Amino acid sequence: MLLVSMVVYLSLVGMLSFNNNSTRYAANLQIPETPDSVITLYSGETVETGSIGDVFDKMQHPYTQALFRSIPLPGADKNTHPLVAIPGNFPLPHERPNGCNFGPRCDYFEAGRCDAADIKMSEIMGDDRHGARCLRFAEIDWDAPITIGEQKEKAPIGEVVLEMKNLKKYYEVAASALFGGGNTKVVKANETLTFQARESETLAIVGESGCGKSTFAKVLMGLETATEGEILLDGKNIEMVPIEDRETQTIADIQMVFQNPFDTLNPSMTIGRQIIRALEIFKIGKDENARRERMLKLLDLVKLPRAFAERMPRQLSGGQKQRVGIARAFAGGARIVVADEPVSALDVSVQAAVTDLLMEIQREEKTTLLFISHDLSIVRYLSDRVMVMYLGHVVELGSTDQVFSPPYHPYTEALLSAVPIADTSIEKKHIVLEGDIPSAMNPPSGCPFQTRCNWKSQVPDGLCDREVPTEQVLADGHHIKCHLDAATLATMEPVIKIAAE
Ligand code: ADP
Ligand code: MG
């Protein structure tokens, strides 16, 4: 199901696995972006097919259009071009409607016509093998602007709520399962994280799998305690207080939305009961009635029908379950929400809706959102600041504009070049990173990134091999951990270029 409705987007990403050089490409963070043709599938049928140029720029099927409107493209702005989610749900094979399968979710649906009989592919005259399964394609004004609902202004960014100072988290693991006995090795999952986060701010944390993103979240939540350094919540140290010793208020203040909504809900408890449980834990509401009332308000907040209170988790779709996860996170009036890949398990059309929901709640509640993601398109779209991690280090930290334009940390540059972009007007530089990410148990000497860095030869005297770089400040609030000097950094070119009209 996921695959079927993501096919346009995945035709780019999917190339990774179809290319004969796939492992090399995947390891090198390089994505070939020149498939010739695209197929959009919906509910088991091809609904549009054609060349990349035709399907991306002159689409002729409402579902292709809806998919493009639900993914953040570079240049998209959350205020002027918010993502538009596709209403409703995907029909299961036995629930397919008469006529057009997409009909019930289509903005252009015409009763009596679109639902009358099966619809055949029509060829789009003048294009090369471009076809669409839509009766109305010739009548639709494909260039009409998107009508968007009223947008709420984002609250201004406020006081510092959270501060991390030189936070370290090391894990001790047995050096060898075979020989065991006393020998331990250290995994440096987090090395000196230093940052602040403010009220109403979205700070994105990005980096490849294994770079320490979830570890940092666990230490913040109190699921692990720090090895060194400080975490200050409203100026109060919490880094050594495990969750069982934390005050209820602290627990309610810092909440988490998990990647996988499927295993965070209790399968044998109704949705309403699970939310009420959270309210009990946070000591909210004077009695059962008050908590029930608050639970219904939380369902309103996450835009789920109140009748869902009586449903079991298995009766909910992935996106709906994630909304319940969000409702629980906000049950105690959380001020800091750590969202660890909150939408990566969801279908693209649902991602837009859940992302939008998080931002809407943030505007209302002035939440500090720590948004952990490997999807730089979403990060660019929604965050105020970005923190880039590599092997436990923060290698770059700055405003979203600073991080997404040169000068970059060499690692950020490579990450950006790996972003799949479904937009033919965008030019992108391809950067090949040699080798794999080293193990956190056995990190390289000197700069953590030196084994894969393309810029290393620009730094004299083997400095990168010997010393961990200190952080340099490139501009106000823009920090990078790199030995490159300012003159070399200034020669960096943008990775993603929006072609001139
Ligand atoms: P990410 O979320 O960025 O993928 P993690 O924070 O989960 O990364 O992991 C960072 C590093 O710490 C990895 O090398 C991982 O194997 C290691 N690690 C995470 N948790 C533990 C643990 N409980 N014990 C030992 N090593 C761990
Ligand atoms: Mg993780």
Side-chain angles (χ1 to χ4, degrees):
M1 198 160 114
L2 185 80
L3 223 177
V4 173
S5 56
M6 280 178 76
V7 93
V8 165
Y9 195 55
L10 279 183
S11 61
L12 296 176
V13 185
M15 283 302 286
L16 273 173
S17 47
F18 299 132
N19 194 288
N20 53 8
N21 234 341
S22 62
T23 41
R24 185 166 175 274
Y25 275 118
N28 290 340
L29 286 172
Q30 197 194 30
I31 295 173
E33 287 189 299
T34 48
D36 301 325
S37 53
V38 197
I39 294 172
T40 312
L41 293 178
Y42 185 77
S43 191
E45 273 182 338
T46 299
V47 296
E48 182 160 5
T49 170
S51 69
I52 286 273
D54 285 344
V55 176
F56 282 25
D57 300 334
K58 301 191 303 173
M59 56 199 59
Q60 298 291 317
H61 195 282
Y63 178 59
T64 312
Q65 182 185 56
L67 271 183
F68 272 84
R69 288 179 172 180
S70 66
I71 56 174
L73 296 172
D77 178 80
K78 57 183 171 250
N79 298 315
T80 56
H81 281 282
L83 301 183
V84 184
I86 306 177
N89 280 313
F90 201 86
L92 295 173
H94 64 276
E95 300 173 331
R96 283 180 188 142
N98 271 346
C100 176
N101 284 341
F102 189 58
R105 304 173 74 187
C106 183
D107 287 344
Y108 311 101
F109 179 76
E110 194 183 317
R113 197 165 151 216
C114 300
D115 54 2
D118 283 356
I119 296 164
K120 302 223 159 27
M121 284 297 272
S122 308
E123 199 178 323
I124 316 298
M125 290 308 176
D127 288 351
D128 181 24
R129 283 164 291 171
H130 184 191
R133 197 183 294 278
C134 175
L135 290 180
R136 302 203 57 205
F137 76 90
E139 301 154 26
I140 293 170
D141 175 4
W142 294 100
D143 298 322
I146 308 175
T147 44
I148 43 175
E150 202 193 324
Q151 283 295 301
K152 274 218 186 107
E153 282 277 309
K154 191 178 160 168
I157 288 172
E159 297 291 307
V160 172
V161 180
L162 177 75
E163 189 168 4
M164 289 214 180
K165 289 187 189 165
N166 296 318
L167 182 90
K168 291 188 187 187
K169 176 64 189 174
Y170 294 175
Y171 291 108
E172 281 199 1
V173 290
S176 151
L178 257 187
F179 302 109
N183 255 353
T184 55
K185 274 210 129 186
V186 174
V187 180
K188 299 180 174 177
N190 283 163
E191 276 282 6
T192 57
L193 304 192
T194 301
F195 69 89
Q196 295 180 333
R198 296 169 178 270
E199 186 185 83
S200 291
E201 181 178 51
T202 304
L203 173 66
I205 295 128
V206 303
E208 279 164 289
S209 159
C211 70
K213 304 181 297 293
S214 296
T215 299
F216 132 87
K218 282 185 226 158
V219 178
L220 176 59
M221 296 288 299
L223 301 171
E224 302 275 1
T225 52
T227 306
E228 236 182 89
E230 291 182 85
I231 303 177
L232 300 157
L233 174 67
D234 302 318
K236 217 166 81 186
N237 285 83
I238 56 165
E239 69 279 351
M240 295 315 282
V241 193
I243 195 154
E244 59 273 18
D245 297 337
R246 284 193 177 177
E247 287 166 26
T248 307
Q249 191 53 49
T250 308
I251 297 174
D253 275 347
I254 311 179
Q255 279 291 305
M256 190 148 177
V257 176
F258 295 90
Q259 171 169 12
N260 200 333
F262 308 93
D263 41 47
T264 47
L265 298 181
N266 181 336
S268 56
M269 206 187 264
T270 63
I271 298 305
R273 194 77 246 147
Q274 316 213 19
I275 298 177
I276 290 173
R277 281 288 314 256
L279 292 169
E280 284 165 3
I281 292 166
F282 299 142
K283 304 193 172 71
I284 300 220
K286 59 180 189 330
D287 55 24
E288 184 63 22
N289 275 341
R291 281 192 283 274
R292 210 182 146 72
E293 196 45 43
R294 170 89 184 131
M295 177 272 289
L296 294 172
K297 291 240 164 68
L298 283 163
L299 287 179
D300 298 345
L301 180 74
V302 297
K303 302 201 168 77
L304 285 176
R306 289 186 166 204
F308 272 45
E310 307 310 325
R311 290 215 190 169
M312 301 304 274
R314 72 184 137 76
Q315 296 171 296
L316 269 58
S317 69
Q320 290 165 343
K321 281 187 194 143
Q322 196 57 304
R323 286 170 193 268
V324 177
I326 295 171
R328 274 198 318 196
F330 283 92
R335 292 166 57 223
I336 300 171
V337 169
V338 186
D340 194 352
E341 305 269 10
V343 296
S344 54
L346 307 175
D347 188 287
V348 262
S349 64
V350 181
Q351 283 187 2
V354 173
T355 309
D356 215 48
L357 175 70
L358 268 174
M359 291 195 299
E360 196 179 319
I361 299 178
Q362 175 185 48
R363 284 194 286 267
E364 218 126 277
E365 313 267 316
K366 302 195 166 97
T367 320
T368 304
L369 201 55
L370 301 180
F371 193 87
I372 299 178
S373 180
H374 65 268
D375 182 343
L376 287 171
S377 304
I378 290 197
V379 163
R380 180 179 203 158
Y381 174 76
L382 62 75
S383 49
D384 299 302
R385 284 194 305 139
V386 181
M387 178 163 116
V388 183
M389 289 184 67
Y390 187 80
L391 272 187
H393 291 260
V394 176
V395 295
E396 181 162 1
L397 175 66
S399 70
T400 305
D401 285 343
Q402 286 168 341
V403 173
F404 279 83
S405 48
Y408 312 103
H409 186 282
Y411 178 58
T412 311
E413 186 192 35
L415 273 185
L416 287 176
S417 109
V419 178
I421 297 172
D423 186 335
T424 56
S425 67
I426 305 263
E427 261 184 69
K428 218 175 59 179
K429 213 159 93 179
H430 284 287
I431 294 161
V432 180
L433 280 187
E434 293 302 335
D436 290 332
I437 185 165
S439 151
M441 217 183 293
N442 193 12
S445 62
C447 171
F449 190 55
Q450 57 108 339
T451 54
R452 297 166 84 197
C453 183
N454 288 319
W455 292 81
K456 193 174 152 184
S457 61
Q458 314 264 346
V459 177
D461 305 331
L463 194 58
C464 304
D465 296 327
R466 280 183 285 117
E467 280 175 35
V468 178
T470 49
E471 220 168 61
Q472 39 172 323
V473 181
L474 299 183
D476 190 24
H478 190 197
H479 301 242
I480 73 166
K481 217 182 227 184
C482 180
H483 288 303
L484 288 172
D485 59 28
T488 314
L489 284 166
T491 66
M492 283 190 166
E493 288 171 9
V495 176
I496 296 169
K497 274 189 232 153
I498 301 177
E501 295 279 304

